[in-house]
């Protein structure tokens, strides 16, 4: 602690070993332990000699005085911080101790860290209080010489200071006035005899110079001119009020506040109250409001005075906050509440302080703080969602692989005999579940693209083949001819397109039109201001645009559309994740997502994809041709070794491959996979292909197994498969020695096409 060398600590403890142990611990922390006393009497006797700032007190002490009585006497003599270090935790003792306003209460037994923390907190609080008192004392010293009367009151309405001029004018002795109610000491009335409101400087300036009548202690009435300003602590929090006044018959120059802080010692005190502030009587009526409060509620001061708080505030405020404010008013306690003003669309922190018979309410706009807290909360939820999504993705995708695989196999077997719509529906639902899991992973900042060479026009056609079109919406697809292939993650781009189409449909609940364009953007459009001289210019990227003729996006909403959970369709249970996911996909592909919208005229979203210079990686092993018809395999039966820990997925893979003429060996753990591969090599019957699951709980997974296989056979061909589509191996398989990737879930036909393609590629390479 930086201020430890300024804190002098006295330990009052009747157990000598405990006291010595505390002294040793505090000394190591850099505090000055000035003494150890066994009794309250000894502590009081040595107090002037030791001059401690902080006293660590046990409640049970040797002698006649216990720790609480000792604390009272110590505090009477000096402003000293008290921390009780005791084993007493009964309610009566705690209640007695609370009356001394201790800076801490540490229960025995305690450890070194608990002692350190208790002392640090108490010492810091003590230093801050001393600094505040020093500042106030310096201000009050400056007030002493003023010809104007000065009275300072705390937020409970009690007088804390009165200068000689105020004492002479009111007839109250300064020492007698301190601690009394402001309403008793400073009684001001209108000329009509009605009580006058205490106006702050800004309200007085608006109303012009006013004259009120001060009733002195002896009952005499004096005409005065007055003004009020706030008293704030070092953190800027309101702690009280300063009243400056002078006789209305004395033509002395007004007290002015200089703008230069270095030459104006009163500037930190005598300043306008920028936050809304008003006072209530015991019947909730407004008896005072400053200019900020008047502006906040768009009323005239004369209109606010006398109104009930509940007539000024929104109707929902009473239901939410009446009980807390009433409790504070009844028990003379402070209260802190946060309320929302619908009309202003702002959050206000309302702090209430006992004032007279009612409350003094100070309002502060905390909208920015609330929004920042909500933003942090969204980020925390994102991180939690990412962990949750990734934790469940592997097992969930395994199950989806089994469901999708068996449904697909059933469809293939029944295709020539009968068509069952139930199977088709189940398959579509499984694909939607797959999309949901992948969307969560992408949204959770995972999912590097698993790229293959595709034509965007084909991808769009395939998407709309399976998309359920909304009623009363016309779909137009415009694909520029002769566009080049592009290396993308087809599943992710389909996911992006799905989100954009769904948003466009929801923007037109009564029907409309959706236009989907795919084109190579004009270079001058993408890069305005640049001169293009090459008439044979090749496109540097491709774009997909989704345009609707719907309601459009309000300008104040447009800046927030990519924020997680932001949605204007809360009533439709919208998650607000769609565009966030789309942006993640665009960035992962090195592209961009732009939105242009005009309220009432529709929205256009453009997804721009650069022609990837690293696209060769996607085709390093002929993977881009995986959905083409591969060359015919040789007559020899290919041998395939499968590593898969999930028995249901493993059974599906084996059935799918064996039924299509492959010889398959299976294993559930990587070391067994390596053993089988080595034994097969020793027998002269090496496997042609290995399919490795990436993650094997409590065993050797695909990456480690691949390292060992490559050590045995540098020409090993392997496919990596995983439900963790966000693993870097899935995005860059060649770097880990794999020939291709097979993300789960997948259909059996997809696996067959990939296996045949890889085997054909292997045969071509060996022949060459």
């Amino acid at each position: 602690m930086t201020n430890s060398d300024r804190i002098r600590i006295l330990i009052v403890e009747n157990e000598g070993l405990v006291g010595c142990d505390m002294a040793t611990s505090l000394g190591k922390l850099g505090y000055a332990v000035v003494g150890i006393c066994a009794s309250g009497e000894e502590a009081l006797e040595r107090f002037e000699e030791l001059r401690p700032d902080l006293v660590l007190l046990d409640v049970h002490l040797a002698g006649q005085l216990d720790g609480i009585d000792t604390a009272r006497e110590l505090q009477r003599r000096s402003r000293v911080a008290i921390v009780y270090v005791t084993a007493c935790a009964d309610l009566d003792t705690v209640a007695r101790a609370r009356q001394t306003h201790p800076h801490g209460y540490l229960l025995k037994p305690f450890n070194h860290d608990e002692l350190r923390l208790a002392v640090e907190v108490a010492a810091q609080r003590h230093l801050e209080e001393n600094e505040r008192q020093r500042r106030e004392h310096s201000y009050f010293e400056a007030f002493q010489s003023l010809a104007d009367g000065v009275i300072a009151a705390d937020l409970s309405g009690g007088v804390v200071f009165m200068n000689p001029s105020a004492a002479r004018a009111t007839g109250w002795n300064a020492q007698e006035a301190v601690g009394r109610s402001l309403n008793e000491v400073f009684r001001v009335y209108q000329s009509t005899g009605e009580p006058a409101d205490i106006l702050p400087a800004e309200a007085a300036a608006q109303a012009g110079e006013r004259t009120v009548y001060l009733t002195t202690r002896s009952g005499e009435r004096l005409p005065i001119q007055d003004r009020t300003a706030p008293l704030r602590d070092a953190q800027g929090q309101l702690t009280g009020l300063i009243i400056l006044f002078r006789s209305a018959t004395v033509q002395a120059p007004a007290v002015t506040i200089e703008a230069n802080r270095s030459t104006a010692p009163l500037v930190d005190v005598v300043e306008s109250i920028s936050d809304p502030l008003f006072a209530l009587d015991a019947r909730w009526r407004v008896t005072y409001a400053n200019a900020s409060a008047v502006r906040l509620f768009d009323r005239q001061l004369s209109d606010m005075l006398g109104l009930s708080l509940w007539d000024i505030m929104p109707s929902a405020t009473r239901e939410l906050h009446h009980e807390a404010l009433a409790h504070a008013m009844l028990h003379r306690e402070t209260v802190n509440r946060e309320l929302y003003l619908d009309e202003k669309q702002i959050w206000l922190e309302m702090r209430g302080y006992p004032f007279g018979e009612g409350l003094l309410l100070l309002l502060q706009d905390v909208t920015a703080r609330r929004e920042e807290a909500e933003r942090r909360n969204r980020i925390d939820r994102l991180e939690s969602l990412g962990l949750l999504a990734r934790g469940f993705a592997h097992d969930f995708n395994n199950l989806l692989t089994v469901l999708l695989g068996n449904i697909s196999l059933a469809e293939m077997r029944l295709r020539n005999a009968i068509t069952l719509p139930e199977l088709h529906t189940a398959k579509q639902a499984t694909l939607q579940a797959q999309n949901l899991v992948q969307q969560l992973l992408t949204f959770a900042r995972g999912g590097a693209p698993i790229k293959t060479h595709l034509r965007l026009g084909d991808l769009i056609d395939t998407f709309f083949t399976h998309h359920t079109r909304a009623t009363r919406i016309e779909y137009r697809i415009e694909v520029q001819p002769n566009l080049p292939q592009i290396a993308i993650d087809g599943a992710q781009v389909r996911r992006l397109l799905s989100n954009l189409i769904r948003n466009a449909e929801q923007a037109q609940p009564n029907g409309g039109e959706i236009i989907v364009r795919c084109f190579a953007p004009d270079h001058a459009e993408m890069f305005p201001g640049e001169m293009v001289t090459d008439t044979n210019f090749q496109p540097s990227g491709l774009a997909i645009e989704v345009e609707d003729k719907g309601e459009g996006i309000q300008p104040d909403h447009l800046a927030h559309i990519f924020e997680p959970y932001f949605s204007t369709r809360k009533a439709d249970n919208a998650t607000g994740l769609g565009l966030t996911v789309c942006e993640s996909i665009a960035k992962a592909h090195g592209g961009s997502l732009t939105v242009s919208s005009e309220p009432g005229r529709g929205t256009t979203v453009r997804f721009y994809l650069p022609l990837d210079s690293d696209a060769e990686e996607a085709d390093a092993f002929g993977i881009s041709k995986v959905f083409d018809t591969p060359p015919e395999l040789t007559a020899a039966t290919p041998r395939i070794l499968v590593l898969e820990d999930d028995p249901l997925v493993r059974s599906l893979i084996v059935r799918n491959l064996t039924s299509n003429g492959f010889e398959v060996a299976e294993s559930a753990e990587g070391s067994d996979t390596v053993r089988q591969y080595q034994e097969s090599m020793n027998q002269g019957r090496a496997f042609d292909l290995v399919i490795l699951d990436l993650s094997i709980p409590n065993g050797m997974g695909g990456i480690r197994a691949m390292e060992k296989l490559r050590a045995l056979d540098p020409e090993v061909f392997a496919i990596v498969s995983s439900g963790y589509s966000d693993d870097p191996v899935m995005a860059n398989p060649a770097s880990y020695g794999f020939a291709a990737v097979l993300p789960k879930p997948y259909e059996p036909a997809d696996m067959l096409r990939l296996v045949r393609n890889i085997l054909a590629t292997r045969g071509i390479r060996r022949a060459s």
Side-chain angles (χ1 to χ4, degrees), residues 79 128-138:
R79 296 193 62 87
E128 289 175 353
E129 289 176 353
N130 284 349
E131 176 62 18
R132 178 177 58 82
Q133 290 174 2
R134 184 197 65 76
R135 285 165 51 87
E136 290 183 359
H137 183 69
S138 66

Side-chain angles (χ1 to χ4, degrees), residues 651-662:
S651 173
L652 176 67
I653 296 172
V654 172
R655 283 190 290 119
N656 184 33
L657 294 176
T658 54
S659 64
N660 284 276
F662 296 98

Side-chain angles (χ1 to χ4, degrees), residues 694-714:
L694 185 61
S695 177
I696 304 294
N698 303 316
M700 183 188 293
I703 295 178
R704 182 64 178 149
M706 187 61 181
E707 291 175 355
K708 291 185 174 294
L709 291 176
R710 293 180 72 184
L712 293 172
D713 179 9

Side-chain angles (χ1 to χ4, degrees), residues 11 13 15 17-23 25-26 56-58 83-87 105-119:
I11 299 173
E13 169 63 58
E15 295 184 24
L17 290 177
V18 174
C20 291
D21 185 57
M22 284 195 293
S25 298
L26 294 172
L56 301 180
L57 264 173
D58 195 353
V83 174
Y84 291 106
V85 184
T86 178
Y105 201 98
L106 181 62
L107 287 176
K108 298 177 180 178
F110 53 83
N111 58 36
H112 176 83
D113 289 335
E114 290 170 337
L115 175 65
R116 175 186 58 79
L117 182 61
V119 171

Side-chain angles (χ1 to χ4, degrees), residues 564-582:
Y565 303 106
F566 177 81
S567 175
T568 58
R569 298 190 178 93
K570 300 295 185 182
D572 300 329
N573 293 321
T575 62
L577 302 182
L579 283 177
T580 307
V581 171
C582 292

